[in-house]
Amino acid sequence: MKRRNFIKNASLTGVGIVVGSTLASCTENTSEDKSSLTKVSFPLVIGTWNVKRAATTAGEALEQGVVALDAIEQGCKIEEADEKNQTVGKGGLPDRDGHVTLDASVMDNHGNCGSVVYMENVTHAISVARKVMEETPHVILAGKGAEQFAYEQGFTKENLLTEASKKAWEAWAVKSEYKPIINIENHDTIGMLAIDKNGDISGGCTTSGLAYKMAGRVGDSPIIGSGLFVDNEIGAAVATGLGEEVVKTVGSFLIVELMRQGKSPQEACEEAIKRIVSKPNSNYKNFQVGYIAVNKQGETGYYAIHKGFSMTKYQDGNTINIPSNHYIKKS
Ligand code: ASP
């Protein structure tokens, strides 16, 4: 999967983004939009961006009868292992000092969760996050501690910096312009939510974070409630985009709570985006955030600040990438 330049996407398409008192959804009302609200059948998988291979892997595993968390892990591992994907796992773009550092989280249908932050040298951060959840009394392990724990659990040490990512970093390092708000071409976190045959929901999220970030920076993806939240009674949500903005609004938890209050997944995603862009002095024209969500009934929703975001869905044996038609329009 190629990295997306959110800023470029927004400006090239000429989407003027003005947020007034009402937040208008730019939808083309495709048949998928309608069916996503009405058609319910399990198992079901949704993922951020175009992750058809990962979603298909997860969906097919669910058809075989695995539980949602197993499917999430299997799906996310596909992207983590793909060296061409420069936003997760092996091949992820490094921080400004040339270190590839990974963040990941999982949450299951029992409300258990685990995450790793700023972990180096281990490709499958999603699996280490699961081990944190299942094998430790803790919820989050960071940095060297997370890495050491991974080795103890049998994970292999690997150099995650591929030649392609090294070259990209070296090119960036010529000017070393550290502009976290503008330089956000890499918001391709893999967020995945699944409902298994039992109707139980789990989720996962894995990323190498912002390219050329400051050493030590951690985004939203491993922060339970921000990058990911699952409540098996209600539904689940996962985020991608500029993590700092997601953390400030505790976006995924917010979406689940809005669904608890009766909003559909689509309405809840839109409201969570509204919380970000309607803040006084919000710089939202210069960054992207996208959410996907599912409720207990299997209804799904997705929404982003700018055009360019898409959701992948596996249902009834088919995997589709749903066109990017849910974002803020001029109002
Ligand atoms: N949300 C991630 C972060 O801020 C980045 C991404 O979505 O690619 O680390």
Side-chain angles (χ1 to χ4, degrees):
M1 186 180 61
K2 290 208 175 110
R3 295 185 304 148
R4 296 160 180 83
N5 184 333
F6 283 5
I7 301 309
K8 206 181 267 176
N9 280 348
S11 56
L12 283 179
T13 54
V15 181
I17 301 157
V18 177
V19 180
S21 53
T22 56
L23 181 66
S25 169
C26 180
T27 67
E28 288 150 19
N29 220 10
T30 62
S31 55
E32 169 52 33
D33 293 325
K34 288 172 201 149
S35 68
S36 69
L37 292 175
T38 54
K39 194 171 161 195
V40 176
S41 74
F42 304 141
L44 169 71
V45 179
I46 56 173
T48 53
W49 304 107
N50 190 350
V51 287
K52 281 170 100 171
R53 206 157 60 93
T56 302
T57 299
E60 288 176 353
L62 289 171
E63 301 286 4
Q64 300 297 317
V66 307
V67 295
L69 185 65
D70 288 335
I72 292 289
E73 183 180 358
Q74 289 178 33
C76 289
K77 283 175 76 173
I78 297 281
E79 295 296 330
E80 288 178 334
D82 181 357
E83 294 185 22
K84 292 201 181 100
N85 184 340
Q86 292 183 300
T87 64
V88 297
K90 192 163 186 170
L93 288 168
D95 66 14
R96 65 184 185 182
D97 299 332
H99 302 293
V100 181
T101 65
L102 307 180
D103 295 339
S105 62
V106 295
M107 192 158 184
D108 73 8
N109 55 307
H110 303 293
N112 298 313
C113 53
S115 65
V116 290
V117 307
Y118 207 68
M119 184 180 71
E120 293 182 63
N121 300 317
V122 181
T123 299
H124 292 301
I126 196 82
S127 301
V128 185
R130 182 174 181 174
K131 289 285 186 192
V132 171
M133 178 177 87
E134 293 177 341
E135 305 295 337
T136 81
H138 306 306
V139 170
I140 305 176
L141 289 182
K144 287 290 167 209
E147 192 181 337
Q148 182 57 37
F149 169 71
Y151 301 146
E152 285 163 14
Q153 292 293 318
F155 290 83
T156 311
K157 183 169 186 168
E158 287 181 83
N159 175 17
L160 304 184
L161 187 63
T162 56
E163 271 311 303
S165 290
K166 188 165 176 243
K167 274 193 185 141
W169 168 64
E170 284 167 351
W172 171 84
V174 172
K175 286 192 177 168
S176 292
E177 281 180 329
Y178 182 58
K179 294 181 181 173
I181 302 301
I182 303 297
N183 182 23
I184 50 169
E185 301 178 351
N186 64 326
H187 289 175
D188 285 349
T189 293
I190 306 308
M192 197 171 268
L193 307 172
I195 307 184
D196 60 29
K197 283 184 173 174
N198 300 325
D200 288 326
I201 311 172
S202 291
C205 192
T206 182
T207 187
S208 51
L210 299 183
Y212 322 128
K213 60 197 173 187
M214 290 176 70
R217 184 264 185 189
V218 172
D220 60 308
S221 306
I223 308 299
I224 299 298
S226 292
L228 171 71
F229 196 71
V230 176
D231 182 330
N232 195 41
E233 297 294 309
I234 304 297
V238 68
T240 183
L242 188 62
E244 282 74 1
E245 296 297 325
V246 176
V247 169
K248 287 176 199 168
T249 48
V250 198
S252 294
F253 182 73
L254 172 63
I255 290 169
V256 173
E257 289 306 298
L258 289 167
M259 293 194 290
R260 190 191 308 278
Q261 290 163 22
K263 289 206 185 298
S264 69
Q266 185 60 40
E267 289 167 340
C269 288
E270 292 181 19
E271 176 63 27
I273 291 292
K274 186 178 177 183
R275 293 283 173 98
I276 294 172
V277 302
S278 56
K279 277 188 193 165
N281 306 320
S282 173
N283 191 26
Y284 68 88
K285 287 181 186 174
N286 293 323
F287 63 79
Q288 173 70 306
V289 171
Y291 290 111
I292 62 172
V294 64
N295 66 12
K296 189 70 176 167
Q297 291 71 43
E299 296 169 344
T300 60
Y302 70 106
Y303 202 69
I305 299 175
H306 300 291
K307 190 170 186 179
F309 179 56
S310 66
M311 176 172 79
T312 301
K313 181 188 274 194
Y314 173 94
Q315 198 168 23
D316 297 326
N318 296 312
T319 308
I320 50 170
N321 182 245
I322 304 169
S324 149
N325 60 0
H326 289 189
Y327 56 95
I328 299 171
K329 74 169 185 179
K330 201 169 179 173
S331 64

